Amino acid sequence: MAPSSTCPELLSQLGDLLGPRHVVTERDEIAPRLIDWRRKYTGNALALVKPGTTAEVAAVVRACADCRTPIVPQGGHTSLVGGSTPDLDGRAVILSTERLTRVRDVDPVNNTMTVEAGCILQSLQEEAARHDRLFPLSLAAEGTCRIGGNLATNAGGLNVLRYGNARDQVLGLEVVLPDGQVWDGLRTLRKDNTGYDLKQLFVGSEGTLGIITAATLKLQPQPLEAATAFCAVRDVDAALDLLARCQQATAQSLTSFELIPRIGIDLSLKHVAGSVDPLEGAYDWYVLVEAQGGHGDGGLKAALEGALMQAYEDGLVLDAAPAESAAQAQTFWHLREAVVEAQRHEGGSIKHDIAVPVSSVPAFLTEATAKVHEMVPGIRPVPFGHLGDGNLHFNLTQPEGADTQAFLARWDEVNAAVHDIVARYRGSISAEHGIGQMKVAENARFKPPVELEMMRAIKRSLDPGNIMNPGKVIDLD
Ligand code: FAD
């Protein structure tokens, strides 16, 4: 049944503002927007609205604010923490950015582009390339996620080692505030010390402080060459030694340094078409290394291979396959991406998106692996991810033949035990996916009370009516 608003006239008012076809109330069309990517959360909503300009976003927000109607901003709806899914009471309006897709300006001399929030990430990479520039933010959801969502979650992804998170890519923002005011903060400057860096408040705020409608993003030079290798390493300590050596050898040009355990390779070969193991033997741990930059003369590849050869002689690397072509590098990446998909075919997975200091990764892995084995005999840890950033997806596949529902029922308990270990290393319980609705309570367990109170103070000051994505990120009580 369609839920009703506290303001009976709200829907017709929104129809007048946007045109009726941009205010969707048909349940069939709204249904996919009410369930999250992982199908863990379902919600309900009054309507899905699709404003096409910043002014329309502002008008929608003002109308909703007048009615105290909650707004859930939605970009590509790929949140892995239920951030873009409304709650069940059905009072919220989902505000989709899908019609805000204009590239407003590209300035190759200033190395910036100003784009609207609904632009698909991949289309922005392509836009940058058309101007012989690189927009380095890259993640597996890039064909679906939208830049406003990337910024609102401070997305990480595959190139953080070299270029940083989403927050490092942004010079300016345009934001519609919870009272409907438009803040034009679309600065294109690399230096601007004129007070608080307000744009960074909105980056990572997951739609709880306002709606990002446009952003000015930094562009980088297109790298002249890339060097990629797939290596078996002695253990995770050896992988970290290799990381330092590769950084040195490539003059800090490493873009990715991804850890994959043997079980990740085995599951990918078993379940995901196109997966190929580039090496012959079976080893416990692998890393996918990529560097970008150089002078276009093959020097980067030579430098990386030199570091790998020395590491092989020193017993850190047990075998390695340098990519001989872009196509071969693609097959390495396919295998890395296949790890996520492969786990789905093995039943339930309890997931973590943690970060610890890079130097603490081996000790964390030993401790956390022992703990989860003790809690769930037969559990199959598949820890993989961005080792170079200290960010691992410590994912745990159910024991073979186990009851999936019974296993998943232990999600919170296992998360809590793993997060306790993360906290001992002064790590993060959400390295790149955000808090959404999934981790509100867990986050509150670890953040110092004074930090939580600062967050609440900011939220109350900007959004006193608590209409912006309520229930996400921070509990106000
Ligand atoms: P949505 O899911 O629509 O929204 C995410 C949050 O941002 C919600 O709280 C929403 O309310 C808010 N929001 C959306 N748009 C706006 C806006 N314009 N203004 C204000 N708030 C807004 N994340 C990583 O960091 N690294 C990865 O490597 C990575 N890989 C992924 C791979 C897959 C296959 C998937 C499904 C997800 C992955 N993610 C990853 C999760 C990641 O958060 C998203 O893919 C992406 O950053 C979210 O963009 P989106 O447009 O889908 O946002």
Side-chain angles (χ1 to χ4, degrees):
M1 197 177 81
S4 60
S5 163
T6 44
C7 281
E9 73 283 10
L10 179 65
L11 285 182
S12 63
Q13 200 182 342
L14 293 175
D16 292 345
L17 290 170
L18 305 183
R21 88 195 157 89
H22 300 308
V23 179
V24 181
T25 53
E26 287 80 30
R27 295 289 106 187
D28 283 355
E29 196 177 334
I30 297 189
R33 312 303 191 104
L34 300 176
I35 183 156
D36 74 306
W37 180 278
R38 282 185 173 151
R39 312 188 79 74
K40 201 169 157 51
Y41 299 99
T42 43
N44 208 347
L46 200 58
L48 165 69
V49 301
K50 304 178 183 178
T53 62
T54 300
E56 286 186 358
V57 174
V60 168
V61 171
R62 272 194 302 275
C64 289
D66 287 347
C67 291
R68 296 200 155 235
T69 293
I71 300 171
V72 178
Q74 231 176 56
H77 197 33
T78 64
S79 168
L80 296 178
V81 288
S84 50
T85 310
D87 66 16
L88 273 169
D89 78 8
R91 290 191 314 117
V93 162
I94 298 172
L95 188 151
S96 168
T97 58
E98 69 197 65
R99 292 180 60 230
L100 299 170
T101 53
R102 274 194 321 132
V103 173
R104 293 189 188 168
D105 181 52
V106 182
D107 182 345
V109 177
N110 198 40
N111 277 314
T112 50
M113 65 179 170
T114 299
V115 304
E116 292 186 344
C119 293
I120 300 267
L121 173 56
Q122 192 176 332
S123 75
L124 295 181
Q125 296 162 349
E126 290 164 0
E127 181 68 28
R130 274 194 286 280
H131 292 83
D132 196 27
R133 295 292 182 272
L134 175 75
F135 182 58
L137 191 67
S138 174
L139 41 118
E142 63 198 22
T144 311
C145 59
R146 296 174 189 272
I147 191 67
N150 300 140
L151 292 169
T153 56
N154 184 27
L158 301 172
N159 292 331
V160 172
L161 194 56
R162 172 80 178 280
Y163 298 104
N165 297 296
R167 83 163 69 253
D168 299 300
Q169 320 305 329
V170 61
L171 291 175
L173 288 183
E174 178 187 84
V175 180
V176 173
L177 301 177
D179 61 2
Q181 286 188 84
V182 179
W183 171 48
D184 178 355
L186 285 174
R187 315 233 162 84
T188 56
L189 306 172
R190 275 161 175 85
K191 288 190 155 184
D192 178 18
N193 276 351
T194 53
Y196 304 137
D197 192 351
L198 293 177
K199 66 178 178 297
Q200 295 296 355
L201 254 189
F202 295 94
V203 178
S205 67
E206 300 182 46
T208 60
L209 300 180
I211 298 171
I212 298 168
T213 46
T216 299
L217 304 168
K218 287 185 206 166
L219 299 177
Q220 307 288 340
Q222 278 280 5
L224 295 177
E225 56 181 299
T228 313
F230 194 85
C231 320
V233 287
R234 189 190 65 213
D235 51 27
V236 183
D237 282 299
L240 289 184
D241 198 339
L242 181 65
L243 170 65
R245 289 171 181 225
C246 291
Q247 286 283 37
Q248 179 88 34
T250 63
Q252 306 289 327
S253 294
L254 280 197
T255 44
S256 306
F257 196 85
E258 299 285 306
L259 183 73
I260 310 173
R262 180 69 216 177
I263 184 175
I265 309 268
D266 287 338
L267 296 183
S268 301
L269 295 176
K270 183 172 160 194
H271 295 298
V272 184
S275 300
V276 178
D277 183 349
L279 304 176
E280 273 179 8
Y283 305 92
D284 289 346
W285 294 102
Y286 298 81
V287 288
L288 199 176
V289 192
E290 187 160 285
Q292 291 179 11
H295 303 287
D297 57 0
L300 194 62
K301 187 166 183 286
L304 182 63
E305 287 180 20
L308 295 177
M309 184 57 78
Q310 187 61 54
Y312 178 78
E313 284 169 13
D314 296 343
L316 303 174
V317 167
L318 305 178
D319 197 2
E324 295 304 334
S325 63
Q328 194 181 11
Q330 274 300 322
T331 65
F332 297 173
W333 278 109
H334 178 78
L335 187 59
R336 156 66 181 82
E337 299 295 354
V339 176
V340 186
E341 153 87 28
Q343 287 170 73
R344 271 194 223 129
H345 299 272
E346 290 285 314
S349 263
I350 296 177
K351 297 179 193 273
H352 305 85
D353 166 37
I354 64 95
V356 293
V358 174
S359 52
S360 302
V361 170
F364 163 78
L365 273 174
T366 305
E367 211 178 313
T369 303
K371 181 69 191 174
V372 298
H373 276 303
E374 178 194 310
M375 293 179 82
V376 187
I379 198 167
R380 291 174 292 165
V382 190
F384 70 95
H386 319 301
L387 178 61
D389 313 325
N391 170 202
L392 293 183
H393 301 303
F394 188 70
N395 290 358
L396 307 167
T397 296
Q398 69 175 59
E400 275 178 275
D403 178 276
T404 299
Q405 289 319 314
F407 175 70
L408 291 177
R410 302 194 62 185
W411 182 295
D412 290 348
E413 182 197 346
V414 172
N415 270 188
V418 170
H419 291 162
D420 285 343
I421 298 171
V422 169
R424 280 207 293 284
Y425 289 98
R426 295 183 70 83
S428 168
I429 63 156
S430 183
E432 58 175 10
H433 295 161
I435 297 300
Q437 54 185 298
M438 183 189 276
K439 296 184 184 171
V440 175
E442 263 314 71
N443 202 29
R445 213 157 66 78
F446 296 106
K447 286 243 184 241
V450 68
E451 194 170 336
L452 289 169
E453 215 27 70
M454 281 193 284
M455 287 172 67
R456 287 190 190 104
I458 290 166
K459 169 75 174 164
R460 286 192 187 112
S461 142
L462 283 173
D463 183 18
N466 191 22
I467 63 160
M468 290 304 312
N469 216 0
K472 314 290 165 47
V473 182
I474 179 104
D475 195 343
L476 289 181
D477 302 326

